[in-house]
Amino acid sequence: MGADVNVVAASESGCHIFGSGCGFEAPGVGLFSPTPWLDFGLPGAAGVNKYYLVAVVALIIAAAFWYFTTRRAKVVPGRGQGMAEMLVGFLRDQVTRTTMGKEGDRFLPLIVTLFLFIFCMNIMGLVPGLQLPVTTSLAFPAVLALFVFLLWNIVGVRRHGVGGHFKARLIPGGVPWWILPIVVPIEALSNFVIRPATHMIRLFATMFAGHLLLALFAAAGFYMFNPLSQMGGLFGALSVGYSAIALVGFLVFTAFELFIMAVQAYVFVLLTSIYLGEAIEGAH
């Protein structure tokens, strides 16, 4: 009876899953639209907001990693230097050389830098007080994808000339001439529109969904434990149990999301290396 009275009182105060007044705010897209600290008043410009701060922190972390692991490089590496060498060796053996051969070694510094920077931007979603992956703002993956797209064209033009590069991208080898009016527009759309678009959207969408999922579990745990656990009785006990489940889910998905953050950085640089390998090879 006491529990029923508490439930009714909570309902009347709006403290239930369909109401407000508990200090609970359901996670939504507002998580990814921080209020600008400095607004330039320009159409389409978001101003300076939390994304800029988190991006700077990610850049500092990436730079600090290389500084502290390589400032005293030795023939027999220490723990930090060994970690840096393992990262470089992994990306060389699993990314650049598998897609470009030994010629890809000259792009290795770029691939390593991109990987570490993207990974640092991703893990900002797990840093207490920041908790915002930089790559959940489409602008950042878009700039990186645009850079790779431009580099892909530059490498191809320098290696094969303007005509050779664009011919290889638009006219597949062995295609009959009479079908070219259909194939060329498809190839143009695929290589010059869809390719850079999917390159940026894959990173953005995965990190956006993952961060929203983590926020959902964290909010569920907060909501179920804080207001409902005070009611006592069976309903209160169940709410504490649900909160514990939400907490376990949050911890599990946090570990899983950390793995996904690394995978997405790897996928981005792997695609980058594949595109550069195509530009070097020239053939479709």
Side-chain angles (χ1 to χ4, degrees):
M1 182 66 178
D4 294 338
V5 171
N6 289 332
V7 171
V8 172
S11 299
E12 290 176 351
S13 66
C15 189
H16 58 90
I17 196 168
F18 299 110
S20 59
C22 302
F24 171 78
E25 183 179 352
V29 293
L31 288 170
F32 310 98
S33 302
T35 303
W37 298 322
L38 179 61
D39 192 350
F40 300 112
L42 300 175
V48 178
N49 55 28
K50 187 177 179 180
Y51 275 113
Y52 289 84
L53 170 64
V54 180
V56 170
V57 173
L59 179 61
I60 292 174
I61 292 175
F65 173 81
W66 291 118
Y67 175 75
F68 288 109
T69 57
T70 61
R71 61 175 178 168
R72 295 177 182 175
K74 300 177 181 179
V75 177
V76 180
R79 185 175 301 176
Q81 182 183 342
M83 185 183 305
E85 290 182 359
M86 285 179 60
L87 175 62
V88 173
F90 172 77
L91 293 175
R92 179 196 63 194
D93 297 336
Q94 302 299 322
V95 177
T96 58
R97 287 197 175 177
T98 57
T99 57
M100 293 182 276
K102 288 191 176 182
E103 192 169 1
D105 288 354
R106 64 191 180 104
F107 294 102
L108 183 59
L110 169 65
I111 297 299
V112 172
T113 301
L114 274 177
F115 174 85
L116 186 60
F117 184 46
I118 292 173
F119 179 66
C120 288
M121 288 195 294
N122 289 346
I123 63 172
M124 290 298 100
L126 302 180
V127 177
L130 296 177
Q131 295 173 314
L132 183 66
V134 184
T135 45
T136 57
S137 172
L138 185 58
F140 289 92
V143 170
L144 294 176
L146 178 60
F147 168 76
V148 173
F149 176 73
L150 293 176
L151 181 62
W152 169 66
N153 282 285
I154 291 171
V155 170
V157 169
R158 290 187 62 181
R159 176 61 67 95
H160 306 285
V162 176
H165 171 67
F166 287 100
K167 179 181 178 181
R169 302 282 71 82
L170 297 175
I171 305 176
V175 174
W177 65 268
W178 52 269
I179 204 175
L180 288 180
I182 299 176
V183 171
V184 170
I186 294 175
E187 291 294 320
L189 182 65
S190 173
N191 286 293
F192 298 103
V193 178
I194 296 177
R195 170 175 289 188
T198 55
H199 202 190
M200 69 175 179
I201 292 174
R202 180 182 290 103
L203 176 60
F204 160 74
T206 305
M207 296 312 304
F208 185 95
H211 188 60
L212 189 59
L213 186 63
L214 287 180
L216 177 63
F217 273 95
F222 167 80
Y223 174 78
M224 296 300 296
F225 181 77
N226 279 277
L228 301 182
S229 61
Q230 308 302 321
M231 295 179 183
L234 178 61
F235 197 72
L238 287 175
S239 70
V240 174
Y242 293 147
S243 177
I245 294 174
L247 176 60
V248 171
F250 173 75
L251 295 177
V252 170
F253 275 102
T254 296
F256 181 68
E257 184 66 8
L258 180 61
F259 171 72
I260 294 299
M261 289 172 177
V263 168
Q264 286 304 309
Y266 172 78
V267 170
F268 191 93
V269 297
L270 178 62
L271 291 174
T272 298
S273 187
I274 290 174
Y275 298 157
L276 294 177
E278 288 182 357
I280 292 173
E281 182 181 355
H284 196 281

